Amino acid sequence: MSGLTVQDIVKPENLVYKKTDLMTDKTLSYCPGCGHGTAHRLIMEVIEELGKEHETIGVAPVGCSVLAYEFMNVDMQEAAHGRAPAVATAIKRVWPGKVVFTYQGDGDLAAIGTAETIHACNRGEKIVIVFINNGIYGMTGGQMAPTTLPGMKTSTSPYGREVVAMGNPLKITELVAQLPGTYFVTRQAVHTAVAVRKAKKALKKAFQNQIDGKPGLSFVEIVSNCNSGWKMTPVDANIWMEENMFPFYQLGDIKKDGQLIEKK
Amino acid sequence: MGELKLMKGNEALAEAAIRAGADAYFGYPITPQSEVIEYLMSEKPEERTGMVVLQAESEVASINMLYGAGGTGKKVMTSSSSPGISLMQEGLSYIAGAEIPCVVANVVRGGPGLGDIQPAQSDYFQAVKGGGHGDYRLIVLAPSSVQEMSDFVPLSFDLAFKYRTPVMIISDGLIGQMMEKVELFDQMDRLTDEEVIEKYPWATNGKPVGKERRILTSLDLDPHKLEKHNHHLQAKYREIEEKEVLSETLHCDDAEYIMVAYGSSARIAQKTIQLAREEGIKVGLIRPITLWPYPKKEIEKYVQKGIKGFLSVEMSMGQMVEDIRLVVEGRTKVEHFGRVGGVIHSPEEVLEALKQKLIGG
């Protein structure tokens, strides 16, 4: 292999993988190890592969991904905390031919925006909701989220989430799956290569449903780590997620083609 | 002459939305303005013009639907009454910050809190001084007849798009519920999708080929950039103050005293003028039509002319009176009279207040 220069290697015919043009070149604001960057990339790859980059409008939330519009190279609107499903509903209603999605965290979607989430799902809005669940408020510094596990320590549950006083974690994905307006509901992860492939497939199905005009909303939860908020290394956070988050938030499809999947 | 109809103020507002070529209405029922969405639903605007009408799950959702659809360059509107408008304040702040055109109608009822369902003008501060967080303004139009409930809808859309800013039509339970003859303007065409794309390059309706994506946000984490954005908004507000003030005067030419009143109160004040002049009291009326921008120059003109006093007649405990005082700066007397909680003052009560607070005092 001696004598190979960079110029010899960087040739179009040697290209095996390329960042999608639908991700900007701006440095991600996320912590190293965080799943947001991967989730962003998968959505943008899917939109590119479906040929919809000029027909997509995204809605960004409040939370760590408040700046999603800095990285996603499509038309975007930044919504108030929790209101993305209402914003997306209206966009889709006045531009039914466009592809519309929201990208929301757990505090945004499952706490302050619960009403907007449930009603957009129940009306069967033909949009895609991507829900990043890391069980904590990352942006504001690690406070308890609606999805924080029992016993889990956060800055507002410093001795662990005590369910009698602080309530139970909310499985909003299972909840919206019960509504007749949802067409596809799935829970994925992006912490391993296998998980990434599955998540991308799920996202593609969700967007394809919308493009095909399937009757109802497609809802993709991605269980993600928050190594900074959980105060762990990225590797430890992924292990902790597998051992603690996945047993509670089980991965896989919950509803497909408008039918709940029966657990065996 | 346009089509004549006998209509409620709320119905005229709804019909005007269809005729003005609105693309969508999102709203939530609340008394005394529920006729707006009821009328729209019964009219099937989807069939008449292609206009979308959706009953939202809350006023919070309605206003955020305006943020979404308005952000795509479509003509969008909502309506509500006081408690519902309070719920919309967060959204209005975001809409002002992100510079999204839309029209919001407030059919005001008695407050504070749940208050009652009778007419009031106690949301003046909320409408003209902000209501939501941050330095922003709404253009606020105050109809005083069913005719103006209709006419101000296309005017509001024009202003909203001209300045990329939210516009509020503020009436009250009286104007919303009463029936009057209204001359309806002819149906205007809705813009086609292609026209919207062509006309509003800032709108998010899919990144154009070969061009940068559009981002609508009220966020900027760089304080210097956010300060610059605020200066940009203020420059726009100064331009609006310069160009868009609307007011009407009645019997002011020979007046020694002037009542200042908008909406329903202005109608009552007209009767008071008649009663006062029968007694030889020379009183006139300034009716602000835009509550923001406020007709400061009109008031200043009469201060210069040496008017003996102003009486702010409003169905509130004294809100607009502060804006009159800001213009007058102590150079002449400025008093307030108003009934509240849904009680409507009589012309005789207003005359009595005029005598006691200005003439006798």
Side-chain angles (χ1 to χ4, degrees), chain A residues 21-22 24 26 53-59 62 66-81 83-96 98 112 115-120 123 125 139, chain B residues 23-24 26 52-58 60-62 64-74 76 90-91 94 100 190 192-194 196-197 203-210 212-221:
Chain A
D21 289 338
L22 294 194
T24 65
K26 195 177 171 76
E53 66 173 291
H54 300 297
E55 288 163 69
T56 297
I57 302 138
V59 184
V62 170
V66 68
L67 292 170
Y69 57 80
E70 297 267 338
F71 316 119
M72 295 179 176
N73 193 6
V74 293
D75 273 7
M76 296 281 289
Q77 292 196 31
E78 208 292 307
H81 200 21
R83 317 300 175 215
V87 173
T89 292
I91 297 172
K92 186 70 181 181
R93 291 286 182 130
V94 295
W95 292 92
K98 303 283 177 182
I112 195 164
E116 285 79 7
T117 302
I118 286 180
H119 284 281
R123 283 191 303 263
E125 298 297 340
M139 177 73 141
Chain B
D23 295 300
F26 303 98
V52 172
V53 183
L54 180 64
Q55 181 168 332
E57 62 270 32
S58 67
V60 175
S62 307
N64 283 283
M65 288 174 179
L66 259 59
Y67 180 98
T72 69
K74 296 279 183 169
V76 291
E90 173 201 49
Y94 279 68
I100 290 171
R190 281 180 57 234
T192 64
D193 286 354
E194 292 70 28
V196 170
I197 291 167
T204 54
N205 35 46
K207 183 175 71 162
V209 178
E212 288 291 300
R213 72 192 188 286
R214 280 73 59 97
I215 297 167
L216 291 175
T217 181
S218 57
L219 175 78
D220 203 321
L221 294 172

Side-chain angles (χ1 to χ4, degrees), chain A residues 33-52:
Chain A
C34 172
H36 269 305
T38 311
H40 281 22
R41 175 172 59 78
L42 294 183
I43 296 166
M44 290 300 107
E45 283 179 358
V46 163
I47 289 168
E48 186 181 42
E49 287 164 21
L50 293 170
K52 294 292 180 187

Side-chain angles (χ1 to χ4, degrees), chain B residues 296 299-300 303 307 310 321-334:
Chain B
K296 294 178 190 170
I299 289 171
E300 176 63 29
V303 176
I307 214 83
F310 291 97
V321 66
E322 293 191 4
D323 280 337
I324 304 169
R325 287 188 177 130
L326 281 171
V327 180
V328 173
E329 290 183 310
R331 287 172 291 168
T332 187
K333 214 164 178 184
V334 182

